[in-house]
Amino acid sequence: MRPTELDPLFAPVTSLAGIGEKTADLMRRIVAADTTGRDVRAADLLFVPPHSVIDRTRRPGVALSGEGSIVTLDLTVDRHQPPPRGRGSLPYRVFAFDETGEIALTFFHAKGQWLEKLMPVGGEIVVSGKVEWFNGRPSMVHPDHIVAKAEAGALPAIEPVYPMTAGLSAKLVRKAMASALERMPVLAEWQDRTVLDRYAFPDFREALFHLHQPETPTDCDVASPAWRRLAYDELLAGQIALALVRLRMKRVAGQARLGDGSRGAAIRAALPYALTGAQQRSIAEIEADLAKPDRMLRLLQGDVGSGKTVVALLSMARIAEAGGQSALMAPTEILARQHFSTIAPLADKAGLRAAILTGREKGRERTETLAAIADGTIHIVIGTHAIFQESVYFHDLAFAVIDEQHRFGVHQRLAIGAKGAAPDILVMTATPIPRTLVLTAFGDMDVSRLDEKPAGRQPIQTVTLPLERLSDLIARMRRAVDEGQKIYWICPLVEEAEGMDVMSAADRHKALAEIFGADVGLVHGRMPGAAKDAAMADFKAGRTRILVGTTVIEVGVDVPDATIIVIEHAERFGLAQLHQLRGRVGRGQAASSCVLLYQSPLGEIAKQRLSVMRDTEDGFRIAEEDLKLRGEGELLGTRQSGAPGFQLARLEHHADLLSVARDDARLFLQRDPDLATPRGQAIRKLLYLFGRDDAIRLIRAG
C-alpha cells in the first residue's frame, strides 16, 4: 500500500486550482514521466525542472534598457492612449516614465477599463518584461508582471522558465507548480548520511523548493546541490529497483545446465566462417554462467553485424544438450522471421528443431506448433511477445533470449521468468550503450561485449550530400542498378504529414518508380505482415533492386548483397538510429556505401551528428557521442518501452553519481532486502515517488 502521506502528490493535476481536463492533457506533454494509461499527477509536475531562469532583479532604468533585454522598471503612469473607435486591431498604449526617460507599455485586444484600474494616471507601478526599441523609442509589449509599487515584494526576483507547449501559459504552469509544491510533505530522510555530507545535499523537500522557487539564478543550475540531490534520488530509486529484480531472480534458484558440446560442434562445423575472438569469449562467459546453479542474467552488447545471433544459437545448443528448451523473443515480426531463417537451417544441422510463433500463425499450424512446444520436441522457439501468452506451455523452458532489450521493460523480463522453472536470461542489444547507461538501464546484469567485426566484412564509405544534388545521386544509382547492385532508401515518414516539409516513403517510392519502374519496392510499418514479407522477399531475390522504406528496416534486416543505403533527411535521425540503419549494408563481400541526404541549412547539432557518422563506424564511440549531443533521454528509444528516460537525472552532468547510487543500493539491500528498517521504509516512499513501486511488489511476491 502506498503511504497515505504521499496521497496529495498522487492526486490528478485536475485537483490543483485552475486546472481542468484540457489543461491536464497539455500538462501531459511537458512531463517526462510515462503517464500511459493514467492521469498526470501533482508529483509529475514537481519533477519537471526549469530549463532556464529570468532574472527580474535587473533595474537599469528606461534609457539604459538594452534591445531585447528583460528588465524590471519603477515607473509613474503618465497617460493612456486607447485605439481610435472601431480600430480594435490597433494596440492600447500606456505611457509611463522614470527619471531617465519614457516607455510605452503596449497591449493588443486589451480591456481599457481593466488597464485604467491596474495603472491609474499618476500611479506608481513596477513592471517587468522585455524591452524593444523602435525609431529610438522604447516599448514593452504585454509586460510579464505589473504591480502597484506598494506590492513590489510580490514580484519574483528569479523566475523559473519551464518547457512549454501550445495552449499552456507560463503563468499557469508556474501557478500549478507552486500548488503542487505546497502539497509536498516533510518526509523521513532516505539518503545515507555520508552521501548527504559528502555532496552537501539539502533535504528532498528543500531541494524541490530551490528548483521551483529559486532565490538565485544558480539554484536552477543542473550542477547545483539541489538539482544534484534530486538527480541522485532518481538514480538511487532506479538502482534499488533493478537490484530488487536481480535479488528476486537470484532467490529463485536456477539449475546448472551442462552439455557435452556435440550439438555446438555440429553448428560450428556448418558455419561458413570462423568465429571472432569476441564471439568465442562471449560464448565461454555464457556457458560458464549456464554451468552454475544460479540464474544467469546477462547482457550481450554487439555492434550492428557483430554476430550476436550465432552466439545466441550456440548458447541454445548448449541448453538442448542439457535437455532444456530455449525461446528467442524479437520486438518485431520482420526481425523474428529474419532470426528464424538464419537459425533454423543451422539448428537442423545439429539435429535441433526450431519453430516460429508470432501473431500471424493461425489454425492447425499453430495448434501443432503449440503441442510440439508443450511435449518438448521443439528445442528452439522464435517469435514476438506472442511466445509469452498464457496459451503457450513449454515442456522445460531453460533459456530465454530477448533481442533488442530497449524495446522491452523490466515487466516483460519478469513475464519470461514466469514461463519456466527459473530460466536463464540473455538480453541482446545492437544499440551500443555507453558504460554509464549500461549501469542505469541494466544495473542488474553482467555484460558481454562483441567488439570485433566478423572476418570479410567491408568498411562502409559514408558521404553527406545536400538534397540539391539529388540528380547526381540518381545518376549514380542508375549505374549501380545496371551493375546489379541493390539499394535501400530510407525516409523518416510513411506518408506526408501536415506542416512537415519532408518527403514521405510513399511519395519517394512514387518518384523513384517513375525513373526506375518495377525495380522499386516499398516497405513500412503500417503495411500488413504478409505485404511486408512479400516486399522483403522481392528485394532479397532481386525482383526489385531499390527498396524504399521507413525505419522498419532499422533492426535486423539482412540482405547481404545490398551495397548502398540512402538516408533521406538524415538530419532528422539520431546518431544511434543512423548507425543502425547504416548497418543494413556492408554485410557481404562487396564494398558498400551510405549516403546521408540532408536539407540545408544544417543546425549545429545536426552538423556534428553527420560528421561523427562520416568519421567512424565504431558503434561504441557513436553511442558516447550521441550521449553528449542529446543526453540520455532518447538514446535507448522511447521511455514507454522500458528505456531509462529520466525526469531529473542528466547523465552528461550526473554520471559521477551513478556508481555511488549503485554501490549504495547494493550495500543497503545486503543489509535490508525487505526494506523493513526505518531507512528501508523511507526508501519505499522514494520508490513510489519515482514510479518504481513495481519493485515493492517484488518484495511482497518474495
Side-chain angles (χ1 to χ4, degrees):
M1 286 286 289
R2 185 174 65 226
T4 51
E5 63 189 312
L6 296 181
D7 289 349
L9 294 173
F10 280 75
V13 290
T14 47
S15 65
L16 300 173
I19 295 184
E21 292 295 342
K22 199 173 169 191
T23 310
D25 264 349
L26 295 172
M27 293 277 186
R28 189 183 299 279
R29 296 182 197 173
I30 66 168
V31 303
D34 173 10
T35 57
T36 315
R38 69 165 176 84
D39 292 328
V40 179
R41 302 165 180 154
D44 295 324
L45 286 190
L46 293 181
F47 298 152
V48 177
H51 58 69
S52 56
V53 293
I54 296 170
D55 185 348
R56 302 246 178 235
T57 58
R58 289 195 58 239
R59 296 176 175 239
V62 171
L64 298 173
S65 299
E67 165 66 33
S69 62
I70 290 176
V71 297
T72 301
L73 301 171
D74 295 271
L75 303 171
T76 303
V77 179
D78 181 46
R79 64 194 186 282
H80 283 242
Q81 190 187 77
R85 281 179 89 86
R87 305 287 301 277
S89 60
L90 292 177
Y92 188 115
R93 288 193 174 91
V94 178
F95 290 91
F97 62 91
D98 66 7
E99 63 271 19
T100 70
E102 184 181 68
I103 187 167
L105 308 175
T106 306
F107 303 86
F108 290 90
H109 311 297
K111 292 185 170 64
Q113 283 171 316
W114 178 72
L115 290 174
E116 282 168 12
K117 196 174 165 191
L118 185 65
M119 295 178 281
V121 172
E124 293 191 329
I125 58 171
V126 180
V127 300
S128 190
K130 190 182 192 176
V131 173
E132 291 167 9
W133 287 77
F134 187 67
N135 286 342
R137 291 164 182 262
S139 119
M140 192 182 280
V141 179
H142 289 281
D144 301 331
H145 297 277
I146 307 170
V147 295
K149 192 166 189 177
E151 294 159 26
L155 267 186
I158 305 294
E159 199 169 287
V161 182
Y162 295 98
M164 294 306 287
T165 187
L168 268 187
S169 77
K171 203 170 179 179
L172 183 69
V173 173
R174 280 197 302 274
K175 197 174 158 199
M177 291 288 180
S179 304
L181 259 185
E182 283 167 17
R183 296 186 171 198
M184 187 72 223
V186 177
L187 297 170
E189 183 56 75
W190 48 70
Q191 291 298 0
D192 185 72
R193 188 75 251 167
T194 54
V195 172
L196 292 175
D197 293 343
R198 189 194 322 173
Y199 296 108
F201 284 160
D203 80 21
F204 183 72
R205 187 171 185 271
E206 194 187 327
L208 283 169
F209 270 87
H210 276 304
L211 201 60
H212 295 297
Q213 294 182 353
E215 289 174 10
T216 70
T218 53
D219 280 349
C220 291
D221 193 274
V222 74
S224 70
W227 195 327
R228 280 173 66 80
R229 153 82 209 222
L230 297 167
Y232 186 72
D233 287 324
E234 184 169 21
L235 294 171
L236 183 66
Q239 290 303 305
I240 289 211
L242 289 169
L244 283 168
V245 172
R246 174 67 154 216
L247 217 59
R248 165 84 193 276
M249 298 191 103
K250 290 282 189 196
R251 245 179 222 175
V252 184
Q255 203 176 321
R257 306 276 178 179
L258 300 163
D260 59 8
S262 57
R263 310 261 196 177
I267 290 169
R268 285 175 192 244
L271 290 172
Y273 50 79
L275 295 176
T276 65
Q279 283 174 311
Q280 294 186 38
R281 184 182 68 235
S282 297
I283 291 162
E285 287 167 351
I286 292 165
E287 288 181 349
D289 281 356
L290 296 178
K292 291 177 195 159
D294 301 322
R295 291 182 73 183
M296 175 176 88
L297 188 56
R298 184 171 282 279
L299 174 68
L300 177 64
Q301 265 192 284
D303 208 344
V304 180
S306 57
K308 292 181 297 299
T309 312
V310 170
V311 172
L313 173 57
L314 285 162
S315 308
M316 294 193 268
R318 174 57 58 111
I319 291 290
E321 291 162 12
Q325 288 171 294
S326 300
L328 189 158
M329 175 161 89
T332 65
E333 198 174 317
I334 280 192
L335 188 49
R337 293 187 182 280
Q338 186 81 48
H339 279 312
F340 182 67
S341 64
T342 308
I343 285 171
L346 287 167
D348 191 48
K349 294 276 197 323
L352 297 175
R353 189 172 161 205
I356 186 155
L357 196 62
T358 67
R360 207 194 307 174
E361 276 64 45
K362 299 270 192 292
R364 198 171 115 197
E365 178 191 9
R366 186 179 182 84
T367 310
E368 286 172 2
T369 301
L370 289 175
I373 294 171
D375 68 20
T377 49
I378 286 176
H379 304 93
I380 298 170
V381 185
I382 298 162
T384 52
H385 55 275
I387 300 177
F388 298 105
Q389 287 170 351
E390 284 171 20
S391 58
V392 184
Y393 294 97
F394 286 83
H395 178 66
D396 175 17
L397 177 62
F399 188 48
V401 181
I402 313 173
D403 196 13
E404 282 305 308
Q405 156 68 25
H406 67 267
R407 313 262 176 127
F408 303 110
V410 173
H411 305 281
Q412 286 100 325
R413 284 191 227 169
L414 294 173
I416 294 156
K419 271 293 172 188
D424 291 300
I425 293 182
L426 178 71
V427 163
M428 305 197 298
T429 175
T431 309
I433 307 164
R435 194 183 158 280
T436 43
L437 272 192
V438 171
L439 275 179
T440 347
F442 310 104
D444 56 332
M445 293 190 174
D446 301 307
V447 181
S448 294
R449 276 173 80 150
L450 295 178
D451 43 18
E452 296 171 50
K453 277 202 171 185
R457 278 286 167 96
Q458 299 296 317
I460 302 165
Q461 189 199 359
T462 303
V463 296
T464 51
L465 198 70
L467 270 162
E468 296 88 74
R469 291 186 52 198
L470 190 62
S471 53
D472 297 354
L473 177 61
I474 299 287
R476 164 82 184 83
M477 284 168 64
R478 271 215 172 90
R479 291 197 296 278
V481 169
D482 290 345
E483 289 163 13
Q485 293 184 51
K486 288 182 188 168
I487 303 166
Y488 289 111
W489 188 300
I490 307 302
C491 298
L493 304 173
V494 175
E495 53 201 34
E496 204 172 319
E498 203 176 317
M500 284 184 87
D501 179 24
V502 177
M503 181 69 114
S504 71
D507 291 342
R508 181 54 72 201
H509 173 254
K510 200 171 155 196
L512 289 174
E514 284 172 13
I515 302 168
F516 295 96
D519 272 340
V520 189
L522 175 66
V523 66
H524 59 72
R526 290 195 205 156
M527 290 163 78
K532 266 190 259 187
D533 285 355
M536 288 308 304
D538 285 346
F539 186 57
K540 226 168 174 170
R543 292 186 285 276
T544 55
R545 289 271 157 203
I546 300 169
L547 183 63
V548 178
T550 53
T551 54
V552 75
I553 75 136
E554 167 192 347
V555 178
V557 173
D558 192 14
V559 180
D561 55 347
T563 52
I564 299 172
I565 184 162
V566 177
I567 304 171
E568 187 166 356
H569 283 289
E571 76 279 2
R572 289 179 171 267
F573 294 92
L575 260 177
Q577 201 173 28
L578 287 172
H579 181 61
Q580 283 280 346
L581 288 165
R582 174 168 64 183
R584 298 305 114 219
V585 296
R587 301 175 87 83
Q589 299 299 316
S592 293
S593 50
C594 168
V595 181
L596 304 172
L597 206 52
Y598 66 86
Q599 175 84 61
S600 310
L602 278 178
E604 205 41 52
I605 295 228
K607 232 181 240 165
Q608 285 174 275
R609 218 181 269 154
L610 298 189
S611 79
V612 169
M613 286 294 293
R614 262 203 321 264
D615 296 346
T616 182
E617 273 188 73
D618 175 351
F620 291 98
R621 198 194 130 198
I622 284 171
E624 295 288 355
E625 292 295 330
D626 207 15
L627 183 60
K628 280 185 215 154
L629 290 177
R630 295 199 289 168
E632 83 299 323
E634 305 164 73
L635 194 62
L636 296 185
T638 59
R639 297 192 165 85
Q640 277 81 340
S641 49
F646 290 115
Q647 298 171 78
L648 290 157
R650 304 282 181 267
L651 284 187
E652 60 274 39
H653 299 288
H654 303 138
D656 62 310
L657 299 174
L658 188 52
S659 49
V660 184
R662 188 191 197 190
D663 294 344
D664 190 7
R666 276 191 172 170
L667 275 170
F668 175 71
L669 288 173
Q670 278 168 15
R671 292 189 217 117
D672 183 13
D674 297 322
L675 305 186
T677 61
R679 187 183 175 203
Q681 293 295 329
I683 282 175
R684 286 170 181 251
K685 290 171 194 166
L686 169 72
L687 294 172
Y688 275 109
L689 281 168
F690 284 101
R692 303 285 189 164
D693 37 308
D694 286 351
I696 297 169
R697 285 194 279 282
L698 285 185
I699 300 171
R700 288 205 294 272

